[in-house]
Amino acid sequence: MASAFEYAPAPESRSVVDIAPSYGLFIDGEFAEAAGGQVFKSVSPSTEEVLSEVARAGAEDVDRAVRAARAAFGKWSALPGAERAKYLFRIARIVQERSRELAVLETLDNGKPIRETRDTDLPLVAAHFFYYAGWADKLDHAGFGPHPKPLGVAGQVIPWNFPLLMLAWKVAPALATGNTVVLKPAETTPLSALFFADVCRQAGLPRGVVNILPGYGDAGAALVAHPDVDKVAFTGSTAVGKEIARTVAGTRKKLTLELGGKGANIVFDDAPVDQAVEGIVDGIFFNQGQVCCAGSRLLVQESVHDEVLDALKRRLSTLRLGDPLDKNTDIGAINSAEQLARITALADQGEAEGAERWSPACELPSSGYWFAPTLFTGVTQAHTIARDEIFGPVLSVLTFRTPDEAVAKANNTPYGLSAGIWTEKGSRILAVASRLRAGVVWSNTFNKFDPTSPFGGYKESGFGREGGRHGLEAYLDVR
Amino acid sequence: MSTTAPHSLADVTASDGTLRRFLHGLPGVDAVGLEARAASLGTRSIKTTAKAYAIDLAISMVDLTTLEGADTPGKVRALGAKAVRPDPTDRTAPATAAVCVYPDMVAVAKEAVAGSGVKVASVATAFPAGRAALGVKLADVRDAVAAGADEIDMVIDRGAFLAGRYLKVHDEIVAVKEACGTSARLKVIFETGELSTYDNIRRASWLGMLAGADFIKTSTGKVAVNATPANTLLMLEAVRDFRAQTGVQVGVKPAGGIRTSKDAVKFLVLVNETAGEDWLDDHWFRFGASSLLNDLLMQRQKLATGRYSGPDYVTVD
């Protein structure tokens, strides 16, 4: 008998997904090469293996795609809502049918564990299409006036942390409300969006309604600046968001921005400790912490600091880091070398500024981009790691003494996307939640998403809401 | 683990008031979070060598049980034989941890497993309701111990617990522990389905451990809700925290409702990732299950031969 329970590897099969050696841009229902003939490579972050070569969109391609979307807009927006709903329901069902394939693809391209793509990303992607399909024929009753109109062509730019989920958040409400779409996925994770293009074809979606342009920031900038785009939706970094806001300022374009965050996860002394520890882990180590609403600042009441930290460290020692395709892996790879360098630099700065660094004993694979789960204790509001978004598996632990202090510290950030409250006292949850300047406040849980629930930020975390009935507003003319 | 108890643990049981304050000062349990954690550990994928290890470990942790009004010496002897050699076709299959019988069958069981290392456990204390005078319960225990029982499974007085008379429950456990003497280990059964809330289960766990339980056990197997991944996870957290605070290690036994190898492996994952490998051993973790053993044996045969056998390839005892 072995001395301990070692789990044998349980890798998900790669054979369920067929990745072509090269992909084009998806414009007007066809895959096409980039006008400039440029291509780039998409690599798997866990192995640095080149997965495929992808056409790189330039300004000329953006123009072509926007024209295709404009041409499709008339017919698409004129369809009865119930007809549009049929397409969306069809897409949702195809996503469900192909969910294993898409989950494996997403894990290969992004580096996140299959456990998360299988159990979180893909079910939510389907749920968003189902949810907004349900709204398509009820827009007159959504509270935006008797006959709200679509805006036109939506230019959408999405990040690499949840490639397919962010696509769903943007495409589903846009189509449900009668808009057409030009979407640019991130340069490190273009593949699932290209597979989604295939899903659109499979669903028989009319040509030009959805166009997908893999590319870099220049393509995104061209899309945002294109004069025939009526609506811009962006999820990504605050710096780029500010740039986009400048570009769009003074035009007729409507804009929503989902930007960075530095979420506070507040643990009071009467919290359910074991569940709070799980919530802290979910808050900062879900998707390797590459989550804009991550609970990256743990605010723990001084009286239970040692107890919570002991429990948290013990728990981190059971996290399993490694091959993201292994069904038992909890922590996968960081998305890119560039992101890994940023996380490393910020963590080093935390150490240099005097915070105490801790990681569980953890062997990192020799190839790919990896960062061990990391805690910083003794962090104060004056530390860089308490202020800057790290976007990685790094938790800063701060303390507070009273609810007022907790609220003051939680709100003392340029961001305002998410927050968490852990207490057994219901009245305290309500009292504290109402004072937190954050778009989402979770109580006794963290990082839970649902298509019916609006999501969005305060301050430098952006404006506008995605999800829920509120998410329709961003794609409707509601004068 | 901090609590609101003003005194050291030794003073906690000084009065009903101190005991109540201590138990109610334990951190709360968030039901949604607890169940989500248990479910997420249930998705661990255990294959090949890990599965073979887990199945043998699970077999060695089974308390093979017969608790029927119709139990006879013949039935108990058959059970004993199966506990010693669960798979007659494969002698590498480990023996179970114990056979568990009513007190009047202890002597028969003891003889049936003599010399094998398999323990005899007995459900004393007016099992399963526990509705008898303390003197009767203690006599029940002494009978079983005198007949050679290695382990006593006692039920707590759920009525007293739910009425908030924690000290009465505590003192009864202490008295039973004393009646066990030095020869028998004591498993304390909470009947978690009747305690109803997770907060109650955590309090009962601490109460049992404070009173000297060697094992804490979910249930009798005689009510609608018995062992679940969530209540077992909660009890594993309790023994882990209790050892951290007192240095005393206490075992855990989920009982009732665990029927398949898949379920058993999930419970072992809970042990592994909650309490840790110190509990991955039949001295510290048991399964109270009778139908589970045959499924474990069939899975074991499948791993050995590559083929599924069937119910006629394992014994019906």
Side-chain angles (χ1 to χ4, degrees), chain A residues 1-8 10 118 271-275 278 307 314-315 318 320 327-328 330 424 444, chain B residues 2 27-30 33-34 37 44-50 53-54 202 237 240 268-269 272-273 277 280:
Chain A
M1 201 188 282
S3 62
F5 194 0
E6 293 289 344
Y7 305 160
R118 178 194 66 192
V273 173
D274 290 300
Q275 286 74 48
E278 290 306 318
E307 177 191 344
R314 186 180 57 219
R315 175 69 177 85
T318 68
R320 305 169 65 86
K327 290 171 218 163
N328 293 326
D330 298 317
E424 282 276 281
N444 291 336
Chain B
S2 83
V29 183
D30 186 82
L34 177 73
R37 173 67 177 150
R44 290 291 193 221
S45 181
I46 306 300
K47 305 262 184 232
T48 60
T49 52
Y53 165 76
R202 174 169 283 175
E237 288 170 353
R240 175 198 70 196
L268 292 180
V269 169
N272 190 37
E273 298 199 33
E277 61 177 283
L280 276 177

Side-chain angles (χ1 to χ4, degrees), chain A residues 318-329:
Chain A
T318 68
L319 283 176
R320 305 169 65 86
L321 178 146
D323 179 6
L325 275 179
D326 191 319
K327 290 171 218 163
N328 293 326
T329 292

